[in-house]
Amino acid sequence: MPSKVEKLKKTTPELRFPGFDGEWEEKKMGEVIAFLKGKGISKDDIIGDGVNKCIRYGELYTEYGEVVQKVVSLTNVPAERSLESKFGDVMIPSSGETAWDIAVASCILEDGVLLGGDMNVLRPSHETDGIFLAYYLSNGSKRNIARLAQGNSVVHLYSSYLRGLKLLVPTLREQKKIADFLGTIDEWIENLKAQKREWEAYKKGMMQKIFSQEIRFKDEDGNEFPDWEEKKLGRVSEINPSSSALPEEFNYVDLESVDKGILSNPIKLQFDVAPSRAQRVLKRGDILFQTVRPYQQNNLFFDLDGDYVASTGYAQLRTKQVPQFWFQYIHSNNFLRKVLSRCTGTNYPAINSSDLKGTHVQVPDLAEQKKIAGFLSSVDDLISSHQEKITRAEEWKKGLMQRMFV
């Protein structure tokens, strides 16, 4: 039989605020929570000038964390056709792609927000804090919730299963203390994200001015650079240069490997099992341009050592000019518009290499290319620095919560 000390360790968190002691109490969710179902509100019901605030279940994945700070959607669906929130309600999706993804909870801090279908709505009793509950379910109990999900291609989470889920919860006073502390951390992280968004908006505005030539750089002596010349892209960059034979082993870059200029998880492959699309042998300074759905702008400036081969889903650009400049240029609004006008296909618009070569571009002097590339790259460095701070802060928060919940 376990000793009193051993039992206490299992029912109290590793990290605790001063002034709180004693065991956390085990309860079933159905004992302290009323279960409701959201209803109504399709994607087509969301309109910019709607009269009612609303939340759809898909937004629990994309828009909100554990606490809904600001409702982003509006609708004209009348309240009687949906479910109106109460302050402190907690929402969990009823369906999703994976069991792990579905195990998320968000607490709403407003009355009267319409809560759409495919959503479990948990209304805590007076002895349970909704914000604490959302943090607890999304972190301390996430694995247990994921185990309750049913299904394969689409998983479902039923309230009847959630009712029996066991929780270990402290007093209401300690719940509020934990919720306030984690809320402060979230505010700090959100401020970091806001700073990053400001730099991203600044860069977007500066790119528009630079590539429209509203802003021009000057040389080291303060003199104007020559006028930009109009040329076809194929004149300033080799498109899909002839490649040497594939290496015996290489890192394969497919369309899933790049997200907004960041390369992650390239696939290590042997030559004899490589897919037929593995054809673009990369050299440092090459640019990969996403030719299918180019508006996603998942392009890559390749600046690595080692053997890498890219999919033919990318166009490979190799220039003798300033490659960093051309990487920035292909993200300009004007260039994207020209590319899209040459694309074929509706659901998956794509541009072929011939049409890409024939796309007209504005070409500055090489010295000005270097100036522009240096300036925009310095802004990119600031954006990356903010993202690193965000990542570290989120990892720190995750580590804390692992120690703050039982």
Side-chain angles (χ1 to χ4, degrees):
M1 184 174 179
S3 68
K4 185 176 180 181
V5 172
E6 289 173 333
K7 184 178 178 182
L8 192 64
K9 287 181 180 178
K10 293 180 181 180
T11 57
T12 57
E14 177 186 347
L15 190 63
R16 209 165 185 187
F17 289 103
F20 296 98
D21 52 26
E23 300 178 31
W24 286 21
E25 186 177 356
E26 183 177 276
K27 297 179 181 180
K28 290 183 178 180
M29 283 182 66
E31 296 172 354
V32 293
I33 292 165
F35 286 83
L36 303 152
K37 291 287 290 182
K39 60 180 179 179
I41 311 179
S42 68
K43 189 174 182 179
D44 291 339
D45 290 326
I46 304 300
I47 56 175
D49 58 352
V51 296
N52 291 320
K53 294 180 180 180
C54 65
I55 296 175
R56 297 183 64 250
Y57 88 97
E59 294 171 346
L60 299 179
Y61 304 112
T62 60
E63 298 290 344
Y64 303 117
E66 292 94 341
V67 180
V68 178
Q69 301 291 354
K70 181 181 179 181
V71 178
V72 299
S73 295
L74 297 171
T75 184
N76 281 333
V77 170
E80 57 269 19
R81 281 178 45 198
S82 186
L83 174 69
E84 292 187 85
S85 70
K86 297 290 185 185
F87 183 99
D89 280 353
V90 175
M91 301 161 287
I92 299 177
S94 297
S95 63
E97 293 184 0
T98 70
W100 192 254
D101 288 343
I102 206 173
V104 293
S106 299
C107 180
I108 178 123
L109 307 181
E110 292 184 58
D111 290 339
V113 175
L114 304 189
L115 307 180
D118 243 0
M119 187 187 299
N120 293 295
V121 180
L122 286 56
R123 189 157 289 169
S125 67
H126 66 278
E127 59 189 29
T128 305
D129 182 81
I131 300 175
F132 168 85
L133 183 65
Y135 281 117
Y136 181 93
L137 296 176
S138 292
N139 299 280
S141 196
K142 185 177 181 72
R143 191 175 300 277
N144 293 332
I145 294 175
R147 290 193 183 109
L148 299 176
Q150 304 289 311
N152 295 313
S153 58
V154 177
V155 296
H156 301 279
L157 191 58
Y158 301 108
S159 61
S160 56
Y161 294 164
L162 288 171
R163 284 188 176 90
L165 184 68
K166 292 180 180 179
L167 311 175
L168 277 167
V169 294
T171 64
L172 182 60
R173 189 169 71 90
E174 189 172 1
Q175 290 178 42
K176 290 184 178 296
K177 184 75 173 179
I178 294 169
D180 289 345
F181 174 70
L182 293 175
T184 300
I185 294 176
D186 278 343
E187 288 180 13
W188 169 50
I189 294 173
E190 183 52 41
N191 285 335
L192 291 175
K193 290 179 178 179
Q195 292 171 27
K196 181 192 172 192
R197 288 193 295 268
E198 288 174 2
W199 279 112
E200 289 171 334
Y202 171 75
K203 183 191 174 186
K204 183 177 180 180
M206 291 302 294
M207 286 180 66
Q208 177 66 26
K209 292 179 179 180
I210 288 170
F211 293 120
S212 66
Q213 300 178 60
E214 180 183 340
I215 290 178
R216 291 291 303 274
F217 287 81
K218 294 183 179 180
D219 67 19
E220 300 302 327
D221 298 322
N223 298 319
E224 303 283 347
F225 283 112
D227 290 340
W228 292 21
E229 298 179 12
E230 184 172 299
K231 296 181 181 181
K232 292 181 179 180
L233 182 61
R235 292 280 307 279
V236 298
S237 178
E238 192 177 1
I239 310 294
N240 299 333
S242 298
S243 295
S244 57
L246 295 185
E248 287 298 319
E249 183 179 77
F250 57 86
N251 296 290
Y252 178 50
V253 181
D254 65 10
L255 291 173
E256 304 300 319
S257 302
V258 180
D259 182 29
K260 304 303 181 187
I262 304 298
L263 174 63
S264 60
N265 302 320
I267 307 165
K268 198 80 169 179
L269 290 179
Q270 300 290 328
F271 168 79
D272 56 354
V273 296
S276 60
R277 292 172 68 85
Q279 295 183 22
R280 315 267 192 243
V281 179
L282 298 178
K283 292 184 178 180
R284 184 184 287 269
D286 281 353
I287 296 167
L288 293 180
F289 180 77
Q290 180 183 0
T291 56
V292 181
R293 293 190 287 183
Y295 53 81
Q296 293 180 333
Q297 297 192 313
N298 290 323
N299 309 312
L300 177 69
F301 181 79
F302 183 73
D303 193 27
L304 297 172
D305 294 320
D307 293 322
Y308 285 78
V309 177
S311 164
T312 52
Y314 296 105
Q316 181 181 8
L317 282 62
R318 184 174 294 162
T319 180
K320 292 182 179 179
Q321 298 195 359
V322 181
Q324 294 88 345
F325 167 82
W326 288 104
F327 181 69
Q328 300 289 350
Y329 189 94
I330 64 173
H331 291 87
S332 66
N333 290 337
N334 187 47
F335 180 77
L336 181 59
R337 281 194 296 269
K338 289 180 179 179
V339 167
L340 291 175
S341 71
R342 289 170 167 259
C343 285
T344 58
T346 303
N347 294 330
Y348 293 90
I351 187 169
N352 61 47
S353 59
S354 296
D355 286 335
L356 188 61
K357 287 178 184 178
T359 303
H360 286 264
V361 294
Q362 297 293 319
V363 186
D365 178 86
L366 288 179
E368 190 173 5
Q369 288 185 30
K370 290 179 181 178
K371 285 263 190 180
I372 293 169
F375 171 74
L376 293 176
S377 295
S378 68
V379 180
D380 282 338
D381 289 343
L382 285 168
I383 293 170
S384 296
S385 174
H386 278 81
Q387 181 56 54
E388 289 172 5
K389 291 177 182 178
I390 292 166
T391 300
R392 288 197 299 270
E394 289 177 335
E395 289 175 350
W396 179 68
K397 173 191 168 186
K398 182 179 178 181
L400 275 179
M401 289 192 293
Q402 289 174 346
R403 301 169 63 196
M404 292 180 70
F405 296 114
V406 181

